[in-house]
Amino acid sequence: VTGVQTCALPICEGFVLAALGEHLPRARYLGLELRAEALPLAAAQAPHAGLGRADALRLPLADAAADVTLCLEVLEHLPDPWAAVRELLRVTRGSLIVSVPDQPWFALANLARAKNLTTLGDDPEHVNHWRGGTFVRLLASHAQLTPVVRSFPWVIAVCRGAA
């Protein structure tokens, strides 16, 4: 994927940035995180990336500034995830890649590893709980979808702005 020049990653802690930097070292990366306390971790994980604090609903980027934008494990935390999708598409020139937990599989996987037992496996910070097909249908009403894959227990979709 040599055409990737810039990659904006809203709400990250550096793990994906570090992996991308290993595989695409010549690309430029920008990681945006809402929580200030997560930025030092991101800096330690991905010293090659630019980092900043931002809200997914108000990204500090110009229209079409990023060749590729990743939004991983974010939308399930937002009261208005579709506003975030619109904002992400605004700053994306190429593809937007999003992932969300595929329910009920995500919760069941958490229960299997004894995580979040008091909430029956649901992450207490999640305000949205989508079955994979439901999420894909909703996302398709906001963007053009290309590949959609399930990687247990997540749904990952590649999309572009609606035509």
Side-chain angles (χ1 to χ4, degrees), residues 30-100:
L30 171 63
L32 299 173
E33 170 59 46
L34 179 62
R35 299 166 296 137
E37 65 274 11
L39 290 174
L41 175 60
Q45 293 283 330
H48 64 282
L51 299 171
R53 188 163 181 231
D55 184 319
L57 300 178
R58 291 177 298 282
L59 296 172
L61 299 169
D63 293 356
D67 295 309
V68 175
T69 305
L70 303 175
C71 182
L72 309 175
E73 304 306 305
V74 175
L75 298 177
E76 64 273 12
H77 296 271
L78 304 178
D80 188 357
W82 310 115
V85 167
R86 286 189 297 277
E87 178 68 354
L88 291 159
L89 289 168
R90 179 190 68 78
V91 303
T92 305
R93 177 174 39 258
S95 295
L96 166 62
I97 302 168
V98 298
S99 73
V100 297

Side-chain angles (χ1 to χ4, degrees), residues 1 4 6 11 13 16-17 21-22 24 27 30 40 46 51 64 72 76 86 94-95 104-105 112 119 126 132 154:
V1 187
V4 175
T6 57
I11 317 301
E13 293 176 348
V16 173
L17 283 168
E22 286 180 29
L24 299 167
L30 171 63
L51 299 171
L72 309 175
E76 64 273 12
R86 286 189 297 277
S95 295
W105 311 116
T119 56
H126 291 183
W154 292 278

Side-chain angles (χ1 to χ4, degrees), residues 78-163:
L78 304 178
D80 188 357
W82 310 115
V85 167
R86 286 189 297 277
E87 178 68 354
L88 291 159
L89 289 168
R90 179 190 68 78
V91 303
T92 305
R93 177 174 39 258
S95 295
L96 166 62
I97 302 168
V98 298
S99 73
V100 297
D102 189 356
Q103 293 292 5
W105 311 116
F106 182 80
L108 291 171
N110 277 339
L111 284 174
R113 59 190 187 126
K115 183 176 179 191
N116 299 331
L117 295 175
T118 61
T119 56
L120 298 177
D122 280 331
D123 187 312
E125 294 178 357
H126 291 183
V127 296
N128 298 295
H129 303 87
W130 294 291
R131 288 186 178 265
T134 302
F135 175 75
V136 168
R137 283 190 299 281
L138 289 167
L139 185 59
S141 70
H142 297 275
Q144 293 178 317
L145 299 184
T146 48
V148 174
V149 297
R150 288 193 166 137
S151 179
F152 181 82
W154 292 278
V155 175
I156 303 164
V158 178
C159 54
R160 291 178 174 268

